[in-house]
Amino acid sequence: MTTVIVQLPDTAARHSDDPRPGPSLVRLSPGQSAEFGRGEPGAPLPIPLRDPAVSRCAGQVTAVEDYWRLSNYSAAATYVVENLEGAGEHIRVAPGRIGAPVPFEMSRVILPAETPMEFKVFAPQHAYAEPGCDTPAGEPTTNPFSLNHSSKYFLVLLALCEPRLRSPSSAAVPGVGEILERLRPLPSCHDLTRSALNYHVDYLADTKLRLREGRGGSYGEAGGKRERLVSLALRFNLVREEHLALLPPAVRR
């Protein structure tokens, strides 16, 4: 049974003799592996990355049940694995690291190179517990982050997270003025003021997500509270890409 699918980079597809359209795929069953890199003349690797800055045998992808492992054979280069599901998550695989587990269902592996070198890995067979498996006996399990998706504070949190939901590589966290501009087209936010918005940010930080202040009783530099709210919300999947439909249509600049 195939549990991991590797989508080869566009450059590999262009060099392929296969006349069929569409991306080239490498399918792996548990225990199977596929190496990636430049390869040697006459001996290409299953995942070819044609760039002089990439090692001839740069690493290996190994399928393990419903997840996969990444090995970095480079002596100097760090590889990055991004979560393509829009949460901004990523992991770094250090030089020489063997068998680093990757939990993401949809991933992009990025190697430092003269031109962008990347390939995608999908692990679609992730297993999840059946709903309702918690025992009814005793006290019910509480929700650690109870958020009302129809509330103004949730819209504020969503606007804070929007840049990273739309582009996981974005480092920007909107300021108060940007959030006001983004939310005021909504009927429920026509009268939203700076002080009201700051109240919602404080309410999220102190009550709903219960951020802990740093040493000295502060959240660090200016914007530190908003940054930590975004980091926590995305880390625990409290705000997701489908929630963006609650915001006004994005204006292209």
Side-chain angles (χ1 to χ4, degrees), residues 96-226:
R97 177 74 159 91
I98 301 298
V102 179
F104 309 140
E105 187 170 340
M106 295 183 286
S107 310
R108 178 190 289 115
V109 181
I110 305 173
L111 282 71
E114 294 184 5
T115 57
M117 281 288 108
E118 60 184 49
F119 58 91
K120 297 175 183 176
V121 182
F122 304 93
Q125 302 296 328
H126 277 197
Y128 296 92
E130 291 292 333
C133 63
D134 207 0
T135 175
E139 293 295 324
T141 302
T142 60
N143 187 342
F145 304 120
S146 179
L147 299 176
N148 180 356
H149 294 174
S150 64
S151 66
K152 282 188 182 179
Y153 69 74
F154 185 78
L155 291 173
V156 170
L157 182 61
L158 180 57
L160 279 169
C161 297
E162 182 182 19
R164 292 188 188 173
L165 283 172
R166 296 192 185 279
S167 177
S169 60
S170 174
V173 173
V176 172
E178 293 173 294
I179 299 172
L180 285 173
E181 182 181 358
R182 189 73 182 96
L183 294 181
R184 276 179 176 161
L186 295 172
S188 63
C189 296
H190 277 326
D191 57 351
L192 190 63
T193 63
R194 294 182 70 92
S195 59
L197 193 148
N198 283 324
Y199 168 81
H200 288 304
V201 170
D202 289 341
Y203 179 67
L204 283 163
D206 300 336
T207 303
K208 302 305 291 185
L209 303 189
R210 300 182 300 282
L211 297 183
R212 294 184 179 179
E213 296 180 356
R215 292 182 178 179
S218 70
Y219 292 96
E221 60 186 24
K225 184 184 296 185
R226 297 193 302 274

Side-chain angles (χ1 to χ4, degrees), residues 7-126:
Q7 180 178 317
L8 302 186
D10 293 340
T11 53
R14 286 197 294 269
H15 286 80
S16 173
D17 295 329
D18 189 346
R20 294 172 296 179
S24 299
L25 305 176
V26 175
R27 301 178 184 273
L28 302 175
S29 298
Q32 293 183 328
S33 299
E35 294 180 322
F36 57 89
R38 282 179 17 240
E40 299 181 3
L45 295 180
I47 308 172
L49 302 175
R50 296 180 174 88
D51 188 282
V54 174
S55 303
R56 293 196 179 278
C57 187
Q60 185 182 74
V61 171
T62 301
V64 186
E65 297 300 334
D66 62 348
Y67 69 100
W68 56 284
R69 294 182 178 272
L70 180 67
S71 295
N72 181 352
Y73 295 159
S74 171
T78 295
Y79 303 157
V80 175
V81 184
E82 290 184 343
N83 182 3
L84 286 175
E85 293 189 283
E89 298 171 290
H90 68 276
I91 61 174
R92 297 183 180 91
V93 181
R97 177 74 159 91
I98 301 298
V102 179
F104 309 140
E105 187 170 340
M106 295 183 286
S107 310
R108 178 190 289 115
V109 181
I110 305 173
L111 282 71
E114 294 184 5
T115 57
M117 281 288 108
E118 60 184 49
F119 58 91
K120 297 175 183 176
V121 182
F122 304 93
Q125 302 296 328
H126 277 197

Side-chain angles (χ1 to χ4, degrees), residues 224-235:
K225 184 184 296 185
R226 297 193 302 274
E227 170 68 37
R228 289 179 60 188
L229 282 172
V230 170
S231 177
L232 188 147
L234 295 180
R235 183 184 307 138

